């Protein structure tokens, strides 16, 4: 039984996709040091003194670790081929401190963040990074705010807005809630060849977010599912690619 499980993991499509990601990054290297040199590291080091750890959000306040998060978000951008794509319009839901959008901006893209205004550290970090953002909250079965433009890429990393009430309640959006959210983005926010990337945290017990019912739903929406990610296109009948369309709309 154990051998069969190990064999199953070795033959998993996720393993091959992960290997392809690593190979793609190695063949298109990004100079991380050059990006870090564009930041005022001394100002970020002051954030911890200005915004000390709070009992109400002990994990969020680790986002002042600039080196770690820049490296993480360079990989996120590389996996979407944003380091080698023509200029695109990108909006990031739950943008937090804004590191992903800062990296995207470094690669020449036009960016916009969307998040609540609950964390002073995030407010200060996005200001230091000069990342524009819109203040708002994503609610189930509720249309998103009018952002007055359409985008080539909509992203959301480490998603938690789908949890109803407090996190410990364990109540999450149902497929109809996700359908409303995805249709709203497709209708009002995505360009014709636009993409939507949703990246989920594992469940508290360590299991995948994509339990059988949700996996079936996302697949019915034309999603490509890879580990914690679901990539969807503007057209539910066309499978999107992590690589952007060959001729994205110019800014």
């Amino acid at each position: 039984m154990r051998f069969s499980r190990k064999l199953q993991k070795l033959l998993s499509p996720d393993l091959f996709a992960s290997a392809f990601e690593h190979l793609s990054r190695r063949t298109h290297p990004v100079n991380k040091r050059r990006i870090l040199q564009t930041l005022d590291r001394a100002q970020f080091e002051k954030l911890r003194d200005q915004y000390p750890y709070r009992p109400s959000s002990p994990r969020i306040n680790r986002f002042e670790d600039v080196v770690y998060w820049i490296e993480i978000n360079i990989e996120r951008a590389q996996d979407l081929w944003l380091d080698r794509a023509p200029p695109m319009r990108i909006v990031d839901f739950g943008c937090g401190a804004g590191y992903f959008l800062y990296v995207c901006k470094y690669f020449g893209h036009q960016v916009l963040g969307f998040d609540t205004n609950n964390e002073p550290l995030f407010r200060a970090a996005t200001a230091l990074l000069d990342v524009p953002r819109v203040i708002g909250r994503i609610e189930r079965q509720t249309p998103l705010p009018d952002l007055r433009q359409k985008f080539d890429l909509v992203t959301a990393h480490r998603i938690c807005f789908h949890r109803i009430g407090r996190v410990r309640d364990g109540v999450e959006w149902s497929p109809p809630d996700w359908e409303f959210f995805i249709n709203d983005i497709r209708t009002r926010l995505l360009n014709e060849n636009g993409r939507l990337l949703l990246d989920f945290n594992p469940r508290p017990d360590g299991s995948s977010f994509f339990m059988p019912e949700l996996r079936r739903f996302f697949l019915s929406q034309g999603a490509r599912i890879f580990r914690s990610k679901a990539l969807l296109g503007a057209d539910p009948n066309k499978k999107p690619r992590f690589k952007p369309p060959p001729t994205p709309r110019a800014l």
Side-chain angles (χ1 to χ4, degrees):
M1 181 64 72
R2 291 182 180 178
F3 175 77
S4 63
R5 288 180 180 176
K6 289 182 180 180
L7 183 62
Q8 186 177 13
K9 288 181 179 180
L10 287 174
L11 298 177
S12 167
D14 284 354
L15 181 63
F16 291 104
S18 180
F20 178 78
E21 279 188 343
H22 286 288
L23 178 62
S24 181
R25 292 177 203 150
R26 290 178 65 87
T27 56
H28 295 83
V30 171
N31 191 325
K32 299 176 183 179
R33 182 177 300 178
R34 187 173 296 173
I35 297 178
L36 287 168
Q37 287 174 344
T38 65
L39 299 171
D40 187 340
R41 302 278 289 280
Q43 290 297 319
F44 277 91
E45 290 172 1
K46 292 179 182 178
L47 288 181
R48 175 51 55 230
D49 296 329
Q50 297 172 357
Y51 305 101
Y53 288 102
R54 297 187 301 144
S56 60
S57 57
R59 298 185 63 189
I60 285 180
N61 285 338
R62 72 186 187 278
F63 278 83
E64 84 282 2
D65 187 343
V66 177
V67 175
Y68 174 78
W69 286 108
I70 287 293
E71 291 181 349
I72 288 291
N73 285 288
I74 286 174
E75 291 187 355
R76 287 173 173 170
Q78 286 180 292
D79 291 345
L80 289 164
W81 292 57
L82 299 178
D83 56 320
R84 67 208 89 155
M88 302 168 67
R89 285 194 176 99
I90 302 172
V91 61
D92 187 35
F93 288 129
C95 65
Y99 292 122
F100 174 71
L101 292 176
Y102 183 80
V103 170
C104 292
K105 188 170 65 168
Y106 178 87
F107 290 136
H109 304 293
Q110 180 177 314
V111 303
L112 179 67
F114 182 92
D115 210 337
T116 64
N117 201 28
N118 297 337
E119 291 298 330
L121 178 63
F122 289 175
R123 185 165 57 246
T126 51
L128 282 177
L129 294 172
D130 193 24
V131 168
R133 67 172 186 163
V134 172
I135 303 302
R137 183 181 296 276
I138 297 173
E139 304 281 0
R140 63 189 292 264
Q141 297 289 331
T142 303
L144 293 163
D146 182 8
L147 300 182
R148 300 184 179 181
Q149 58 181 310
K150 289 198 172 185
F151 299 87
D152 303 294
L153 178 64
V154 177
T155 59
H157 297 100
R158 299 198 169 195
I159 295 171
C160 60
F161 58 74
H162 64 293
R163 292 168 177 160
I164 304 170
R166 296 183 180 275
V167 173
R168 62 173 176 267
D169 293 343
V171 181
E172 300 181 355
W173 285 8
S174 65
D177 297 324
W178 282 114
E179 185 174 18
F180 183 97
F181 175 73
I182 292 169
N183 286 342
D184 193 34
I185 289 177
R186 282 173 163 161
T187 302
R188 299 196 296 117
L189 292 184
L190 281 185
N191 288 318
E192 181 180 356
N193 292 318
R195 297 173 295 162
L196 166 63
L197 176 74
L198 302 174
D199 189 0
F200 297 92
N201 287 309
R203 296 183 184 277
D205 62 2
S207 62
S208 169
F209 168 79
F210 297 105
M211 303 299 281
E213 181 185 19
L214 284 170
R215 178 176 289 273
R216 286 193 296 271
F217 164 73
F218 277 97
L219 290 175
S220 75
Q221 294 294 309
R224 289 189 184 274
I225 297 177
F226 169 45
R227 290 190 309 212
S228 63
K229 304 172 185 176
L231 184 70
L232 303 101
D235 185 345
N237 298 313
K238 294 181 180 179
K239 288 278 187 182
R241 298 186 299 169
F242 281 90
K243 180 180 179 180
T247 55
R249 187 179 55 82
L251 297 179

